[in-house]
Amino acid sequence: MNLIVSSIGQGLLWALLGLGLYLTFRILDFADMTVEGTFPLGAATAVTAISNGINPFLATLLAIGAGMIAGLITGLLYTKGKIPSLLAGILTMTAIYSVDLRIMGKSNISLLGKPTLFNGNFLQQLPQFFDSVSVGLIVIIIVTVLMMLFLATDYGQGFIATGDNPTMAKSLGIHTDSMINVGLMVSNGMVALCGALVAQSNGYADVNMGIGTIVIALASIIIGEVAFGDLTLNQRLVAVTLGSIIYRLILLAVLQLGFSANDLNLISSVVLAICMMLPQLEKVVHLRKPIMKGVQPHE
Amino acid sequence: MNKPILELKNVKTVVNKGTANETTILKGINLKINEGDFITIVGTNGAGKSTLFNVIGGNLQADSGQILHNGKDITHSTEEQRTTFLARVFQDPKLGTAPRMTVAENMLLAIKRGEKRHLVLRKLKQNMERFTKLAATMNNGLENRMTTATGALSGGQRQALSFLMATLKRPDILLLDEHTAALDPHTSLNLLHATNERINQDHLTALMITHHLEDALTYGNRLIVLKDGQVKADFKGEEKESLTTEKLYTYFED
Ligand SMILES: Nc1ncnc2c1ncn2[C@@H]1O[C@H](COP(=O)(O)OP(=O)(O)OP(=O)(O)O)[C@@H](O)[C@H]1O
Ligand SMILES: [Mg+2]
């Protein structure tokens, strides 16, 4: 029971990653690799800030800001520097690794004995593991509702059109370059928030904690889409969170089968690769297009 | 004599500058387009017709010369800026609509062509009735597909929608680049009729590229022959009325 509650809590927290990637990979058709760096960046920023006595809430906001800057850098490399999107993301991601080490001063920082968003007075009274469920649920509800509202605005519709058909979007006067920059900022802000929350929930930040984040996020997006079939955009956003929870429950089952936590990246990649190779599934997975686009420079 | 709504003065464009493949595509275009002109444009493949549209639309910059909109120099304004007064329909039905958005959502995008888009709710429902009525004017069942993603429409319906979207918010200049070329003869004729009707009713200023000489003669009040990056002939009014396909055809021989 405890393990299941803990998995649901993890699923809720990690769902932010899926939602962030939904904006880039799905809506903007932009294969953004930055997130592998933004996730630990969010963790490093928040944890370092907290260990320097900054209030956890403010530390989390700082993490979001750091993530947004990283997203903007990738965006500018792509839109202004005309570097293909995959490479632009990889450049930023690689650079962030050094930045993380600068921020933390070492490769690993523990939050032992420090305040976090998860040990407020109210949360302490909850049974074990319900703290991450509560925080995760609150954050996910706020983020999902904000995303739904954003996408239903005139601006948000222009954002969707930018990913859907940039030629048409431009011919209607939509500033596609600034849409891409804003999308990357918001997406990476969300991923950094995810990193900050996961680090506080785990009690530490590690420079290597970003490895595999893209695969994990894509897996939750795809699980949500496969499990719930034909959905409206708003329903799809909810499905990402449900997919993330299902993903964590699957991992739990896999661990029960005797695999070790170290095998998780291998298993996740194999599952995603199989999904991409099956033609019927690739329609749902829909990754070929953003990735093929990702090697083209911006015209 | 009224002032031209759009004027091109000795416009030249060069591609692949500084490489061995450097070529001048438009070799000094001079053109005055008056308000209410409906100009059909013909010319051989590679004559530079689409390039001319790209230069007018701003997704290709002129390398020399000047472009004036109502007397104002727009030679260096961006594609996005020009959408405030200019709308276009592309040849490829896929280019004109957002496939994952519905017919109504696409129309909603188009009524704000060239406007700043704000963080305010989109108000789709309030516009639904008006959009449905407009869609019905295309006579191809579009009005029954308002909530369908445009990716699921036929090419003809998509192209009709693209045309509708281009005219939803009145443009000063409408550019149609072989917009019926990808459609079957019947659907193509339907859209041409609808195009002609809308342009005449709303007194739009339009440029239409076509490879069908009969269409070029039937529609519009003016006909331009483009050849090798230059305006080879410009027939107006009576002159155009008395033009024949045979005569026009001679411009395609060399
Ligand atoms: N970006 C570019 N780089 C190099 N050459 C180009 C470019 N754009 C157009 N051209 C060349 O310029 C010439 C004119 O092209 P354009 O597309 O304007 O012709 P067109 O009159 O529209 O022809 P069609 O009837 O086939 O549509 C062609 O020879 C084309 O290959
Ligand atoms: Mg052409």
Side-chain angles (χ1 to χ4, degrees):
Chain A
M1 178 62 201
N2 265 349
L3 284 176
I4 291 178
V5 174
S6 147
S7 291
I8 293 174
Q10 290 293 308
L12 285 167
L13 291 180
W14 284 84
L16 276 170
L17 193 64
L19 287 172
L21 262 73
Y22 198 91
L23 281 180
T24 49
F25 275 76
R26 278 285 188 263
I27 297 183
L28 279 183
D29 248 348
F30 190 110
D32 179 25
M33 296 289 139
T34 322
V35 294
E36 292 261 327
T38 324
F39 182 80
L41 175 67
T45 309
V47 169
T48 308
I50 291 173
S51 29
N52 281 303
I54 293 177
N55 159 311
F57 184 73
L58 203 61
T60 307
L61 288 182
L62 282 176
I64 296 175
M68 292 177 85
I69 293 170
L72 180 62
I73 290 170
T74 300
L76 292 175
L77 287 176
Y78 174 69
T79 57
K80 297 274 181 272
K82 315 284 177 208
I83 295 173
S85 57
L86 273 177
L87 186 57
I90 290 172
L91 289 175
T92 313
M93 168 189 100
T94 308
I96 290 176
Y97 188 81
S98 302
V99 174
D100 286 344
L101 284 170
R102 281 274 175 194
I103 291 175
M104 300 204 295
K106 50 187 175 191
S107 62
N108 191 304
I109 293 185
S110 163
L111 277 175
L112 206 66
K114 299 271 195 266
T116 69
L117 284 180
F118 294 87
N119 50 23
N121 283 338
F122 158 74
L123 291 170
Q124 288 296 335
Q125 288 154 23
L126 293 173
Q128 201 193 0
F129 298 124
F130 273 92
D131 53 349
S132 51
V133 174
S134 315
V135 174
L137 204 58
I138 293 167
V139 174
I140 280 298
I141 289 173
I142 294 173
V143 169
T144 308
V145 169
L146 284 178
M147 276 175 84
M148 287 175 178
L149 287 173
F150 170 72
L151 293 172
T153 61
D154 282 341
Y155 190 90
Q157 293 283 297
F159 180 79
I160 297 176
T162 297
D164 216 6
N165 184 346
T167 307
M168 172 255 205
K170 268 188 237 154
S171 78
L172 294 178
I174 294 165
H175 295 267
T176 50
D177 280 2
S178 70
M179 289 288 176
I180 291 171
N181 287 331
V182 168
L184 285 168
M185 286 174 76
V186 173
S187 166
N188 282 284
M190 285 162 65
V191 173
L193 170 62
C194 181
L197 292 179
V198 167
Q200 291 178 62
S201 154
N202 290 349
Y204 67 89
D206 187 291
V207 279
N208 292 319
M209 68 194 284
I211 296 171
T213 43
I214 289 181
V215 172
I216 293 171
L218 293 177
S220 38
I221 292 175
I222 290 161
I223 291 171
E225 286 173 347
V226 172
F228 301 101
D230 234 3
L231 299 175
T232 64
L233 182 57
N234 282 349
Q235 291 166 339
R236 275 168 191 274
L237 294 181
V238 177
V240 173
T241 298
L242 298 177
S244 171
I245 294 173
I246 296 173
Y247 176 79
R248 289 289 145 184
L249 293 174
I250 293 173
L251 289 192
L252 180 63
V254 169
L255 290 177
Q256 301 289 319
L257 285 176
F259 284 95
S260 115
N262 295 332
D263 298 328
L264 292 183
N265 280 340
L266 174 65
I267 296 168
S268 306
S269 290
V270 169
V271 171
L272 198 62
I274 292 174
C275 286
M276 284 190 70
M277 284 187 281
L278 298 175
Q280 300 92 319
L281 269 179
E282 163 51 27
K283 268 199 207 110
V284 187
V285 174
H286 180 83
L287 280 179
R288 254 172 234 280
K289 197 172 146 220
I291 289 169
M292 293 313 278
K293 240 172 91 173
V295 294
Q296 309 284 337
H298 187 54
E299 38 84 37
Chain B
M1 196 51 215
N2 44 0
K3 193 163 78 178
I5 198 160
L6 193 81
E7 185 173 3
L8 278 75
K9 288 182 178 169
N10 202 21
V11 167
K12 293 183 185 164
T13 54
V14 184
V15 292
N16 302 322
K17 254 176 292 179
T19 73
N21 296 327
E22 181 170 310
T23 11
T24 308
I25 303 180
L26 299 182
K27 299 170 178 161
I29 301 268
N30 286 295
L31 198 58
K32 278 186 187 161
I33 300 165
N34 293 313
E35 175 132 37
D37 268 351
F38 178 4
I39 306 174
T40 53
I41 300 177
V42 296
T44 50
N45 293 122
K49 304 179 296 295
S50 298
T51 307
L52 174 66
F53 275 18
N54 287 337
V55 167
I56 295 176
N59 44 347
L60 192 69
Q61 289 289 326
D63 289 282
S64 69
Q66 229 186 356
I67 306 173
L68 306 172
H69 168 237
N70 285 331
K72 192 179 142 233
D73 191 341
I74 58 155
T75 318
H76 301 292
S77 64
T78 64
E79 180 183 359
E80 283 95 342
Q81 286 163 345
R82 295 185 203 188
T83 60
T84 52
F85 63 86
L86 184 139
R88 15 186 355 182
V89 182
F90 304 99
Q91 176 178 349
D92 183 353
K94 283 199 208 82
L95 289 182
T97 52
R100 287 179 291 180
M101 302 178 82
T102 67
V103 171
E105 284 170 340
N106 271 277
M107 290 172 80
L108 194 70
L109 286 172
I111 55 170
K112 304 207 169 72
R113 190 194 71 241
E115 288 171 26
K116 201 163 160 29
R117 288 156 209 268
H118 297 283
L119 278 175
V120 292
L121 287 177
R122 59 182 182 172
K123 305 209 173 66
L124 186 61
K125 286 210 183 77
Q126 290 90 323
N127 279 296
M128 210 53 172
E129 206 185 307
R130 178 180 156 218
F131 286 171
T132 312
K133 271 194 198 135
L134 279 163
T137 63
M138 299 312 291
N139 294 319
N140 63 0
L142 196 59
E143 70 276 17
N144 305 318
R145 315 287 308 264
M146 296 308 286
T147 55
T148 306
T150 57
L153 298 179
S154 71
Q157 283 176 325
R158 264 200 241 184
Q159 209 55 346
L161 175 61
S162 304
F163 175 74
L164 197 57
M165 286 164 60
T167 54
L168 262 184
K169 181 179 170 200
R170 185 193 166 84
D172 283 357
I173 298 144
L174 174 63
L175 302 180
L176 308 167
D177 190 350
E178 300 183 53
H179 71 306
T180 65
L183 312 180
D184 70 59
H186 175 73
T187 313
S188 161
L189 194 66
N190 254 350
L191 181 55
L192 263 181
H193 280 307
T195 303
N196 190 44
E197 209 162 284
R198 176 62 49 87
I199 290 174
N200 290 332
Q201 262 173 17
D202 296 358
H203 307 292
L204 297 174
T205 309
L207 280 73
M208 180 171 88
I209 296 174
T210 175
H211 280 300
H212 294 281
L213 301 186
E214 297 82 16
D215 291 342
L217 291 170
T218 312
Y219 301 106
N221 65 329
R222 194 171 159 190
L223 187 153
I224 285 174
V225 182
L226 218 64
K227 196 172 185 177
D228 196 21
Q230 284 173 314
V231 177
K232 269 281 154 332
D234 187 346
F235 304 98
K236 298 173 191 173
E238 303 260 295
E239 235 183 327
K240 174 171 185 285
E241 304 282 306
S242 59
L243 199 60
T244 60
T245 26
E246 288 75 28
K247 172 97 190 302
L248 198 50
Y249 190 79
T250 59
Y251 285 95
F252 288 80
E253 302 168 323
D254 44 12

